[in-house]
């Protein structure tokens, strides 16, 4: 039985990956930070099947102890300060978690067991002010936020440890991927949650920033399969994971409202709210996943409209459950 250690296991990607690995017959360990209020909502349905270890990307000793305790074949580093807006307010902390945290984990692997295969969650935000459309593995990075900068550091740390110490270390450059488990602070979930509340008469308006921002949106449940596939290859490498399609925030909003039968969505939306605009905007991201398709035999399965409808439907169910509780 293979063993995997997943950092960020209580997050969106961590929960889907844990499910996937359990289905593959893995023994799954999850690294969790000690907090005064525990939030294991996304993994509560599988919590009795996984083993949680307390640790923190800011603390080298706890990472080393987690590696010793779990003795994994594979480590998936999904933990980070992952909200772009917060990275402007907490740039140093973002760097500690999202950049230096990667190095701490790689150092732990190098000293404790260099045979461990390592996956680093890189991000399309590294491309930022894009220099090429679509973006692929060789596209120049031009990050436009402290989060993007920190992700570039973590990405190159992974490359550096692979080339310097011969570690099996891969980075998945994942474009935006969403699901009903997405945090409410992210624009996609903010939209679907608001649409469900507006439909049910619980909310009157949806306030957003730039409706013209374009993203390549896929389903998180599809993307975790690509993470696993990277660590099953003969040689480690980096891969763009995306859908190859781009859609605007406006399109996302329009389809979310249409999915509940509301066509005149404009009357409910207030856009260009200054508090939701970034100091430096990333206007358009779209990925070329040809390499992943050819080498990993991976392709996205859930289409854009399916994803939007899935999220709205889940939020409607959530609101109805909240009414009955």
């Amino acid at each position: 039985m293979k063993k995997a250690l997943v950092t960020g296991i209580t997050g969106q990607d961590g929960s889907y990956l844990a499910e996937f690995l359990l289905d593959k017959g893995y023994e799954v360990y999850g690294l969790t930070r000690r907090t005064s209020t525990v939030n294991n909502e996304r993994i509560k349905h599988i919590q009795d099947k996984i083993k949680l270890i307390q640790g923190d990307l800011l603390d080298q000793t706890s990472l080393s102890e987690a590696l010793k305790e779990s003795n994994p074949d594979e480590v998936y580093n999904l933990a980070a300060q992952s909200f772009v807006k917060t990275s402007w307010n907490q740039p140093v902390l973002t760097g500690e978690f999202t950049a230096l945290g990667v190095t701490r984990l790689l150092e732990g692997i190098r000293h404790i067991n260099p045979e461990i295969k390592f996956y680093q969650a890189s991000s399309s935000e590294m491309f930022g002010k894009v220099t090429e459309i679509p973006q692929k593995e060789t596209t120049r990075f031009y990050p436009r936020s402290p989060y993007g900068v920190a992700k570039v550091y973590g990405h190159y740390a992974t490359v550096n440890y692979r080339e310097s110490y011969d570690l099996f270390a891969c980075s998945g450059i994942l474009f935006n991927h969403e699901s009903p488990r997405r945090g409410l602070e992210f624009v996609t979930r903010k939209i679907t949650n608001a649409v469900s509340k507006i439909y049910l008469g619980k909310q009157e308006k949806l306030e957003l920033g730039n409706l013209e921002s374009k993203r390549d949106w896929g389903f998180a449940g599809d993307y975790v399969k690509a993470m696993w596939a990277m660590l099953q290859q003969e040689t480690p490498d980096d891969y763009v994971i995306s859908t190859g399609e781009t859609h605007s925030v406006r399109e996302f909003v329009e389809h979310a409202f249409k999915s509940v039968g509301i066509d005149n969505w404009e009357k409910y939306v207030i856009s260009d709210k200054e508090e939701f605009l970034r100091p430096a905007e990333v206007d358009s991201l779209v990925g070329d996943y040809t390499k992943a398709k050819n080498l990993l035999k991976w392709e996205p399965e859930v289409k854009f409209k399916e994803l939007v409808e899935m999220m709205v439907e889940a939020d409607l169910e959530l609101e109805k459950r909240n009414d009955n509780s």
Side-chain angles (χ1 to χ4, degrees):
M1 182 184 282
K2 275 190 176 181
K3 292 192 281 188
L5 174 64
V6 180
T7 74
I9 197 166
T10 60
Q12 170 188 255
D13 292 8
S15 63
Y16 280 112
L17 179 62
E19 285 176 350
F20 180 76
L21 293 173
L22 287 170
D23 286 343
K24 289 281 182 188
Y26 278 66
E27 189 176 337
V28 178
Y29 292 80
L31 190 77
T32 59
R33 294 171 62 211
R34 194 235 169 252
T35 54
S36 55
T37 53
V38 178
N39 183 11
N40 292 345
E41 184 66 27
R42 295 184 183 94
I43 58 168
K44 68 178 183 180
H45 62 296
I46 54 170
Q47 201 164 331
D48 59 337
K49 298 176 184 175
I50 59 181
K51 298 176 182 177
L52 298 179
I53 302 173
Q54 278 196 3
D56 197 311
L57 288 182
L58 301 186
D59 185 74
Q60 183 73 60
T61 302
S62 70
L63 296 179
S64 297
E65 289 303 314
L67 288 167
K68 289 174 186 174
E69 183 179 338
S70 58
N71 189 25
D73 299 283
E74 300 167 0
V75 169
Y76 296 85
N77 183 37
L78 310 184
Q81 190 301 98
S82 60
F83 189 40
V84 174
K85 183 181 178 184
T86 297
S87 78
W88 291 105
N89 299 326
Q90 300 179 4
V92 176
L93 186 68
T94 299
E96 287 284 354
F97 275 116
T98 309
L100 291 175
V102 183
T103 308
R104 294 185 189 102
L105 203 44
L106 286 164
E107 272 293 281
I109 289 170
R110 180 169 80 90
H111 287 291
I112 290 163
N113 179 6
E115 297 303 310
I116 293 171
K117 293 184 175 182
F118 176 76
Y119 171 83
Q120 165 60 13
S122 288
S123 168
S124 60
E125 286 286 331
M126 301 189 303
F127 295 121
K129 189 175 181 179
V130 299
T131 58
E132 181 180 27
I133 298 173
Q135 295 87 56
K136 47 185 180 284
E137 292 80 6
T138 53
T139 301
R140 177 190 166 206
F141 297 140
Y142 196 148
R144 298 270 279 173
S145 66
Y147 170 76
V149 171
K151 278 294 185 184
V152 170
Y153 179 106
H155 180 84
Y156 278 127
T158 303
V159 172
N160 191 255
Y161 273 69
R162 177 170 72 220
E163 295 178 352
S164 302
Y165 301 116
D166 202 28
L167 295 186
F168 195 109
C170 301
S171 283
I173 307 172
L174 270 59
F175 280 66
N176 292 64
H177 46 290
E178 318 298 319
S179 77
R181 300 179 193 174
R182 193 53 141 158
L184 285 165
E185 69 273 23
F186 291 88
V187 69
T188 50
R189 182 73 195 292
K190 178 181 177 179
I191 292 166
T192 60
N193 185 255
V195 166
S196 68
K197 287 179 175 176
I198 289 168
Y199 175 77
L200 295 170
K202 297 180 176 184
Q203 186 172 320
E204 293 183 0
K205 298 290 182 182
L206 167 59
E207 296 184 348
L208 295 168
N210 182 10
L211 294 184
E212 307 315 318
S213 285
K214 293 181 178 179
R215 293 293 183 271
D216 183 326
W217 277 302
F219 173 50
D222 288 343
Y223 284 32
V224 299
K225 298 173 185 176
M227 300 175 187
W228 174 81
M230 289 177 210
L231 299 195
Q232 313 315 309
Q233 303 305 300
E234 286 188 14
T235 54
D237 208 344
D238 307 321
Y239 299 86
V240 162
I241 304 299
S242 66
T243 69
E245 295 181 9
T246 184
H247 298 275
S248 66
V249 174
R250 181 184 296 276
E251 286 178 80
F252 198 108
V253 171
E254 184 176 4
H255 194 69
F257 275 103
K258 274 188 176 178
S259 70
V260 293
I262 298 175
D263 291 322
N264 58 338
W265 62 269
E266 291 94 341
K267 68 181 275 192
Y268 299 102
V269 176
I270 300 168
S271 62
D272 292 322
K273 288 279 287 185
E274 191 170 336
E275 64 191 282
F276 301 127
L277 298 174
R278 298 180 180 183
E281 185 59 74
V282 175
D283 297 315
S284 181
L285 293 171
V286 58
D288 178 354
Y289 67 92
T290 302
K291 182 177 175 181
K293 181 179 179 180
N294 292 339
L295 299 181
L296 304 180
K297 309 304 179 191
W298 177 89
E299 287 195 75
E301 296 172 32
V302 176
K303 302 298 184 186
F304 174 73
K305 287 186 176 180
E306 289 177 74
L307 176 64
V308 178
E309 289 165 12
M310 176 201 304
M311 292 177 68
V312 172
E313 190 176 320
D315 272 322
L316 278 170
E317 287 300 314
L318 178 65
E319 288 305 315
K320 289 172 184 175
R321 281 201 307 273
N322 289 342
D323 288 343
N324 295 329
S325 61

